[in-house]
Amino acid sequence: MTEPSAFALSVAGLATGLACLIGLPLAWLLGRHAFRGKSPLQALLLLPLVLPATLLGYCVVLLGQQPVVARGLALVGLVPAFDWRMGVLIATTGALAMFVRSAQAEFARVDRRLEQAARTLGRSEWSLFWAVTLPLAWRGVAAGVGLAFARAVGEVALTLLVARVAPTPSQAGTVGLVALTCAVLLLLSTARLTRAVS
Amino acid sequence: MLSVELLKHFPDFTLDVQWTADEGVVALFGPSGAGKTLTLECLAGLVRPDGGRIELRGQTLYDSVRGVHRPTRDRRLGAVFQGYALFPHLTVAENLAFGLERLARAARKQRTEELLERLRLTEVRGLRPAALSGGQQQRTALGRALAPDPDLLLLDEPLGALDSPLRRSLRDELAGMLRGFGKMAVVVTHDLAEACQLADRIVVYDRGRVVQVGPKDLVLSRPASADVAAALGVRNVLEGVVLNAGPDGVQLVWRGHLLVAAHGAAGSAQPSPGDRVAFFIRPEHVRLMRKDRYGAADARQVNLVRGTLVGEVNMGAAYSLQFVVEGEGTPPARGYDLEIAVPKLVHEKLCLHYDRQWTVSVQPSAIELLPTA
């Protein structure tokens, strides 16, 4: 495996981990509760499904050449140029969208009476999430992890190409191939998961 | 002792109920949409009422004035949900142990084993709910609710989703288990037979209100109003005019006939002459007078009415006859005045298929007056 491919996979892995960490409570919140501002939050989270996150990142990089924006980004520790942290950020937004979409649908499907039963049996909200809600929604969550990683690999590959980190055509090709293989494998396995649900 | 006082408003429905119950099993009975399940959800703390109070054995679970609303997990309740709501991803033993989290490991294991044994679930302890029979699911649900030794058991239409033969055998089993464990319980049901078999006390619901509360025998024999009678599925609810009322009974005129009722309505003042009153006669309390023995007994019989059989329904072991009386006025919209229940044997013996003209008699004690609303 070439250097850029290994880099792409580790960045994607990190991004997937982050997406799951942030995405789990978000998916639960969106799948189980109604609240003010739910629709805008949902739209914002799903934006990367419509627009490639890399495009957003590229915009940030271009905008970052404006001094004002650059200083703002510097405040949160980001350099307005390609940098691995930027790569993780971009891949995370894409991965988060995939994860939340998949997990949220499954959380929404969990029978509320089972949670009520758990409450009558003396369980706290925290305890019943781990004992009832998550185990019953695990397929959607697992599928979400797979989809998130596939998406993250794709985003990182695209970012590398746009940022010309993979300089030679052969290296770019390998990165693309690795991304494609990952995505196909993950999509196949998540398709099995989601089929088993419905 | 359980004391319930609840107020809950919805745009198209208001629950406004008040009742109390001692130890034993109390049934919340009434048609669908009467607010029974909502009451149970308020008791469990799953729904917060707009007002009222709930007290269980001296503990306040909810009080709108003092702002008390104990969370469900601190109410020490066991609930059996409609359709049971067993955890599909856990085995029978894990389902039973689910509410025992606060116990130490050894105690938890011991309690689970005890319940498995007592509920005859030991053999299926490792199975998931989907692999269980209806009876095993019911026992698991009951066991899971009883495991933490709750102060009150709540059962929402425990037999609601089942078909008739299974329903009957599970009802017998459930009744036995409720007696066996001796827990105080509230059962929601729209099935009168279920309410009668499971409960000691019945609370009759209708459109968000309680229309009668009492020991089940009293509610069944002396419904508090025509509405309760209708809710209980009582047949032959009729209307007459009081002629005379005294300590010996009430005389009333119904379709031009004089009827004597042995006693006035339950828990209500004697009616005055001229009052319109509702009363009912149970179909099994209407007697067909045999023509061959009729002459001699005639003088001693009261409440004799002549009429014609206009229809009948074969109920298997018995027939339900439809009888139109001769007299003033017309029968109600259903087309007949009285429903009369006779065993199949009697139906054959009296040749009721051919012989349609009869005189019927009703014992004064079988005429139940309903209090006027």
Side-chain angles (χ1 to χ4, degrees):
Chain A
M1 200 181 289
T2 55
E3 179 72 13
S5 300
F7 177 72
L9 288 179
S10 42
V11 168
L14 193 56
T16 306
L18 275 174
C20 294
L21 221 57
I22 307 165
L24 200 60
L26 275 175
W28 174 79
L29 199 67
L30 289 166
R32 305 300 287 165
H33 299 275
F35 52 90
R36 283 175 78 97
K38 178 172 170 171
S39 301
L41 177 62
Q42 181 109 49
L44 190 69
L45 277 170
L46 297 186
L47 188 64
L49 286 183
V50 189
L51 282 179
T54 310
L55 186 63
L56 299 176
Y58 197 59
C59 293
V60 172
V61 171
L62 287 184
L63 271 175
Q65 282 156 12
Q66 305 288 325
V68 184
V69 183
R71 246 174 280 148
L73 284 174
L75 278 181
V76 288
L78 286 173
V79 188
F82 182 79
D83 157 88
W84 71 270
R85 279 166 299 186
M86 189 64 99
V88 169
L89 183 71
I90 289 166
T92 304
T93 47
L96 187 63
M98 297 305 274
F99 178 82
V100 167
R101 204 178 67 121
S102 173
Q104 175 188 346
E106 203 63 17
F107 277 131
R109 219 177 300 177
V110 173
D111 187 349
R112 273 152 203 263
R113 288 182 323 141
L114 296 175
E115 295 175 339
Q116 296 191 334
R119 284 185 198 111
T120 63
L121 291 165
R123 293 293 185 98
S124 65
E125 298 300 308
W126 176 256
S127 162
L128 74 88
F129 173 79
W130 296 105
V132 177
T133 317
L134 189 60
L136 289 174
W138 78 270
R139 285 173 188 281
V141 173
V145 174
L147 291 169
F149 188 72
R151 179 59 190 262
V153 172
E155 291 288 356
V156 177
L158 190 57
T159 311
L160 290 182
L161 296 182
V162 171
R164 296 174 200 283
V165 175
T168 69
S170 76
Q171 274 181 329
T174 323
V175 171
L177 210 61
V178 167
L180 189 68
T181 317
C182 281
V184 168
L185 285 176
L186 287 164
L187 287 177
L188 279 176
S189 54
T190 54
R192 280 180 65 115
L193 276 176
T194 40
R195 196 170 50 233
V197 169
S198 50
Chain B
M1 174 77 182
L2 172 65
S3 138
V4 178
E5 193 186 320
L6 293 171
L7 191 66
K8 178 82 186 168
H9 295 288
F10 290 99
D12 51 351
F13 180 81
T14 300
L15 179 75
D16 183 1
V17 295
Q18 202 172 342
W19 51 267
T20 60
D22 295 318
E23 297 303 301
V25 181
V26 53
L28 306 187
F29 170 79
S32 309
K36 310 182 298 286
T37 297
L38 182 62
T39 302
L40 217 56
E41 287 169 342
C42 290
L43 280 174
L46 299 169
V47 169
R48 187 177 184 145
D50 298 330
R53 34 186 297 112
I54 302 170
E55 291 212 351
L56 175 61
R57 293 188 167 165
Q59 305 242 33
T60 306
L61 301 185
Y62 173 76
D63 189 335
S64 59
V65 178
R66 287 192 285 145
V68 181
H69 178 69
R70 261 208 230 174
T72 301
R73 65 173 185 277
D74 294 335
R75 291 194 180 200
R76 295 190 43 76
L77 301 167
V80 174
F81 290 75
Q82 190 168 7
Y84 307 135
L86 295 171
F87 300 120
H89 59 300
L90 302 179
T91 64
V92 169
E94 287 166 344
N95 264 284
L96 291 182
F98 195 88
L100 302 174
E101 210 195 23
R102 290 172 195 183
L103 293 187
R105 198 186 193 77
R108 197 188 314 163
K109 193 163 160 30
Q110 191 194 343
R111 177 76 176 146
T112 309
E113 293 301 327
E114 182 190 313
L115 282 164
L116 283 169
E117 178 108 358
R118 187 151 181 199
L119 295 164
R120 290 175 285 122
L121 290 167
T122 312
E123 279 177 21
V124 294
R125 57 180 301 150
L127 296 183
R128 301 264 167 91
L132 300 179
S133 73
Q136 291 165 340
Q137 287 187 11
Q138 174 175 288
R139 298 204 293 274
T140 307
L142 196 64
R144 182 180 73 176
L146 287 166
D149 195 25
D151 290 335
L152 178 67
L153 199 57
L154 305 172
L155 301 100
D156 187 9
E157 300 274 5
L159 307 167
L162 304 168
D163 49 14
S164 193
L166 181 62
R167 196 182 170 111
R168 196 173 176 139
S169 73
L170 288 192
R171 196 172 75 205
D172 294 346
E173 190 175 286
L174 182 61
M177 287 190 290
L178 285 180
R179 303 245 133 73
F181 280 95
K183 277 266 175 264
M184 185 176 184
V186 180
V187 185
V188 159
T189 178
H190 65 271
D191 182 318
L192 188 61
E194 209 169 290
C196 292
Q197 192 177 356
L198 298 176
D200 310 304
R201 195 173 165 83
I202 295 182
V203 181
V204 185
Y205 270 60
D206 190 33
R207 282 160 288 178
R209 306 185 76 88
V210 168
V211 285
Q212 188 172 8
V213 189
K216 80 175 157 193
D217 298 330
L218 195 65
V219 172
L220 286 173
S221 62
R222 320 287 298 272
S225 69
D227 279 347
V228 177
L232 291 170
V234 169
R235 329 296 298 192
N236 296 334
V237 178
L238 307 165
E239 204 178 81
V241 177
V242 175
L243 196 65
N244 207 337
D248 305 333
V250 179
Q251 290 182 312
L252 36 99
V253 178
W254 168 67
R255 296 207 50 199
H257 298 279
L258 176 71
L259 297 181
V260 180
H263 39 67
S268 119
Q270 284 286 13
S272 350
D275 281 356
R276 294 198 72 82
V277 288
F279 61 98
F280 70 91
I281 302 167
R282 292 184 192 281
E284 59 273 25
H285 288 166
V286 182
R287 264 178 74 194
L288 292 164
M289 302 304 292
R290 287 184 65 160
K291 288 164 187 168
D292 49 343
R293 301 181 194 163
Y294 182 21
D298 196 9
R300 283 187 282 118
Q301 293 290 346
V302 288
N303 297 340
L304 289 171
V305 183
R306 284 186 58 78
T308 312
L309 295 176
V310 296
E312 59 191 18
V313 181
N314 185 343
M315 317 278 281
Y319 276 85
S320 169
L321 309 173
Q322 298 167 352
F323 190 73
V324 174
V325 306
E326 292 169 7
E328 295 166 6
T330 49
R334 59 185 178 173
Y336 54 92
D337 292 293
L338 289 176
E339 215 176 288
I340 306 172
V342 293
K344 194 173 179 141
L345 191 66
V346 173
H347 186 272
E348 280 166 14
K349 216 167 173 185
L350 298 182
C351 304
L352 294 178
H353 271 305
Y354 316 105
D355 196 355
R356 311 299 270 183
Q357 298 291 327
W358 288 90
T359 294
V360 299
S361 143
V362 181
Q363 285 301 309
S365 59
I367 298 182
E368 302 280 356
L369 264 66
L370 293 163
T372 37

